[in-house]
Amino acid sequence: MPRLLLAFALAVLLTSAFASIFQTQSNLAALQALGAPVPLDVRLGTTCLDLLGFAPTFALLAGLGFVVALPLSLWLARRLPSLRWAILVVAGATAIWLALALANTLAPMPTLIAADRHPLGTLALMACGSAGALLFGLLGRRVRYRTQPTTSDTQ
């Protein structure tokens, strides 16, 4: 169980780091499109600040989505082992999409995360969720559940 919890935590961290980097770079690209100069040092500094400031917020969203999606995906993958990786990709993307939809419903502004204002941005954030779910599947793959022997096992 600790290994599965570690896999979950690392999946959330990877998802939130990727989403934070994407969010930062898409915001900076929008500023650059308006004519603002965005040199490399500004890009790197802003990315680091957002990893500290925005990534924890996204980690909360990802964690809320993953707490349902990842155990459900493992359950389904055990029944359909040939589709394991596809199930994880879809579960990660769906978890982020639902978390964003919930956040946007509850937030006072039209969208909580700027990258989520456009379909391609939403898809990119969902892809971050898929990456995290794949990491979870990779790290959680070696987890085996021990069962108590039954009377038929001892005879």
Side-chain angles (χ1 to χ4, degrees):
M1 196 60 155
R3 185 179 188 144
L4 206 54
L5 290 174
L6 177 62
F8 180 87
L10 291 174
V12 170
L13 286 174
L14 180 71
T15 299
S16 61
F18 280 0
S20 179
I21 292 167
F22 172 75
Q23 164 80 358
T24 302
Q25 297 309 311
S26 63
N27 286 343
L28 292 175
L31 288 172
Q32 201 168 21
L34 294 173
V38 185
L40 181 60
D41 63 326
V42 170
R43 283 189 179 278
L44 292 174
T46 305
T47 300
C48 290
L49 287 173
D50 280 354
L51 283 169
L52 295 173
F54 173 73
T57 301
F58 202 88
L60 179 63
L61 288 174
L64 289 173
F66 281 0
V67 78
V68 174
L70 295 182
L72 184 61
S73 68
L74 286 183
W75 177 83
L76 190 57
R78 274 191 228 115
R79 280 140 187 82
L80 302 166
S82 62
L83 297 175
R84 175 184 175 82
W85 300 109
I87 290 167
L88 286 163
V89 166
V90 171
T94 304
I96 297 303
W97 182 72
L98 290 173
L100 289 170
L102 178 64
N104 290 336
T105 300
L106 299 176
M109 66 276 305
T111 56
L112 181 64
I113 298 169
D116 188 35
R117 292 183 186 138
H118 303 287
L120 287 178
T122 303
L123 285 173
L125 293 172
M126 291 168 64
C128 296
S130 291
L134 287 172
L135 179 64
F136 175 79
L138 184 66
L139 297 177
R141 188 175 203 176
R142 292 175 180 80
V143 173
R144 298 286 183 252
Y145 298 99
R146 293 183 186 176
T147 59
Q148 297 298 324
T150 63
T151 55
S152 63
D153 291 337
T154 56
Q155 294 176 352

